Amino acid sequence: MAVIPVDIAGRPYEVRVDTGLLAELVENCRGKLRKRPVPIITDRQVHAAWGKVVGKALTDAGHEPRWHILEPGEKTKSWANLTATVDWLLAEEVERGDHVIALGGGVIGDLTGFAAAILKRGCHFIQLPTTLLAQVDSSVGGKTAINTAAGKNLVGAFHQPALVLADLAVLDTLPRRELLSGYAEVVKYGLLGDADFFHWCDANADAMLAGNAALREYAVAHSVAAKARIVKEDERETLGLRALLNLGHTFGHALEAQTGFSDRLLHGEAVALGMVLAARFSARIGLMPQASADHAARHIAKVGLPSEVSSLGLNCDGRALADHMLHDKKMDAGRLPFVLMKGIGEAFLAKDVSLDEVAGFLDEELGR
Ligand code: NAD
Ligand code: GLY
């Protein structure tokens, strides 16, 4: 088992990475489940795959699982589900000292975390991430949110979990496309600050994605440790350090917006394409060697993630994509900070990027 401490002042917690953590859930929660009923929020698909394992682990230890089962998908991160979830937690008489469990991917983790942040001005929650994306990114660091009519993740709170248990066994039931989408957030840590890890990914991604348990543990634990280091230094994204985790996200967000935040382009797929675009744009304006940008793009393509925006069949020009960026929540007094690269493993925050130049670059990428 890998145990990664997330040393946030006043609210430290651990991320535990191993195979079989859910089957021994109560032991792994180490005394945090203090009452017989245990409130668990999940989605229908995750419940079908892992509900029995989690339910049995709880009942075998004398607990009563209390399920709140939502529909799978991004639309679940809504005001309506937030209200319903908070009302359900109140009806379950959850107290501030109790721990609510989030069993699922980033959608369930983000919604549950936000509900926990506002329930009785804040109760504890435990993340049981069931996607690769949630294990290496969304379950760690305390960003919680829902989507609104105005955009994605626009309403939320910073609320750290009390514990994260990343059970590698759950990855066996994850559809391949979701696994690959999560992998984008793994290789992101290499591209943004750790060239050695990028080269490790280049050598090991195929075997890791195919199911090699030791490689999976290394990939998840290494990614979590990278995120933990950043979040410890800059929990609220005020120092420009945590913002580096947004590598690929500004370009990716524009692509997600253009494709309607739909299954046409999953979040991780958009991030993968976004990282390729960030690398190519960095090369285009002379910041990064073209060969390094090409290497990043080759790797993304090799594992089976999208690397060419022209393949999406978008019916728009570069200006339309750049316009989506104006609604990005990172906009700051009329300027949009971009994460660009000087090389593989050398991302930095650029504050003076011209959106006209970005639009022209995107026209070329779109083949216009
Ligand atoms: P998701 O939660 O929608 O899960 C993807 C799909 O996989 C769903 O249909 C789900 O039912 C299914 N699934 C999940 N685990 C499964 C399993 N083990 N077996 C079978 N099916 C399973 O998607 P996601 O990619 O995990 O998360 C995306 C969300 O995360 C987005 O809303 C994004 O904004 C958010 N996010 C948040 C942060 C953060 O820091 N809070 C970071 C990155 C992404
Ligand atoms: N996923 C970006 C962050 O947690 O800051």
Side-chain angles (χ1 to χ4, degrees):
M1 174 177 333
V3 181
I4 300 109
V6 187
D7 286 324
I8 291 181
R11 293 176 309 286
Y13 55 96
E14 284 179 352
V15 182
R16 301 185 150 244
V17 183
D18 202 359
T19 300
L21 294 172
L22 294 186
E24 304 290 336
L25 179 61
V26 177
E27 198 184 317
N28 285 309
C29 284
R30 303 150 76 83
K32 289 188 168 23
L33 306 179
R34 56 187 199 151
K35 292 180 182 163
R36 187 167 186 276
V38 174
I40 312 174
I41 299 166
T42 190
D43 75 35
R44 197 168 30 76
Q45 199 163 311
V46 175
H47 185 256
W50 292 94
K52 270 205 188 102
V53 171
V54 170
K56 182 172 180 328
L58 288 168
T59 48
D60 283 356
H63 288 282
E64 181 194 356
R66 303 285 300 167
W67 293 100
H68 184 57
I69 303 173
L70 299 165
E71 281 305 300
E74 189 63 39
K75 286 197 170 63
T76 290
K77 276 171 58 173
S78 64
W79 281 114
N81 277 316
L82 179 70
T83 308
T85 300
V86 169
D87 283 344
W88 178 78
L89 291 169
L90 291 171
E92 290 291 317
E93 299 183 357
V94 171
E95 297 171 348
R96 297 176 76 180
D98 295 339
H99 289 76
V100 176
I101 293 185
L103 173 70
V107 164
I108 290 298
D110 280 10
L111 177 84
T112 304
F114 191 25
I118 58 177
L119 186 89
K120 300 184 177 173
R121 298 203 182 92
C123 73
H124 305 300
F125 80 116
I126 294 173
Q127 290 268 23
L128 306 181
T130 64
T131 62
L132 182 57
L133 180 141
Q135 295 192 343
V136 300
D137 189 0
S138 63
S139 68
V140 182
K143 279 190 183 174
T144 74
I146 57 165
N147 307 326
T148 75
K152 227 184 114 170
N153 292 331
L154 290 182
V155 177
F158 285 96
H159 187 55
Q160 300 292 339
L163 174 69
V164 182
L165 298 176
D167 185 346
L168 300 167
V170 299
L171 302 180
D172 292 340
T173 60
L174 194 62
R176 171 88 185 168
R177 190 176 169 205
E178 295 289 352
L179 186 71
L180 271 181
S181 174
Y183 174 73
E185 304 278 12
V186 173
V187 72
K188 179 185 81 177
Y189 294 108
L191 287 170
L192 78 85
D194 186 346
D196 288 346
F197 186 56
F198 174 79
H199 295 302
W200 181 91
C201 287
D202 218 13
N204 294 292
D206 289 340
M208 189 277 282
L209 290 164
N212 180 301
L215 295 179
R216 280 188 176 179
E217 180 171 325
Y218 181 79
V220 173
H222 193 89
S223 300
V224 168
K227 181 152 186 184
R229 276 194 300 276
I230 290 176
V231 166
K232 176 188 164 200
E233 297 297 324
D234 186 15
E235 182 193 4
R236 301 274 166 144
E237 206 168 304
T238 47
L239 306 178
L241 182 59
R242 185 163 184 169
L244 298 183
L245 295 173
N246 295 323
L247 175 62
H249 283 61
T250 304
F251 285 107
H253 186 87
L255 298 171
E256 280 182 285
Q258 188 63 32
T259 48
F261 296 101
S262 67
D263 286 355
R264 222 174 125 193
L265 191 65
L266 300 181
H267 176 71
E269 293 170 341
V271 169
L273 254 172
M275 291 189 296
V276 171
L277 292 173
R280 285 188 182 146
F281 182 72
S282 301
R284 186 187 203 251
I285 60 176
L287 289 169
M288 178 179 187
Q290 186 63 48
S292 303
D294 292 345
H295 191 174
R298 257 196 329 276
H299 175 76
I300 297 287
K302 186 182 76 167
V303 296
L305 280 163
S307 63
E308 297 303 327
V309 73
S310 55
S311 70
L312 295 180
L314 299 180
N315 189 18
C316 70
D317 61 8
R319 171 54 56 192
L321 290 177
D323 282 349
H324 287 301
M325 296 175 183
L326 293 172
H327 304 294
D328 196 295
K329 64 181 174 311
K330 295 179 285 298
M331 279 294 285
D332 183 22
R335 304 179 83 91
L336 179 59
F338 266 85
V339 184
L340 298 180
M341 299 167 79
K342 292 182 181 154
I344 284 176
E346 292 179 80
F348 72 101
L349 198 59
K351 297 197 169 164
D352 52 0
V353 174
S354 148
L355 269 189
D356 287 341
E357 203 165 350
V358 169
F361 161 74
L362 288 170
D363 273 336
E364 283 170 22
E365 290 289 321
L366 286 159
R368 289 186 160 248

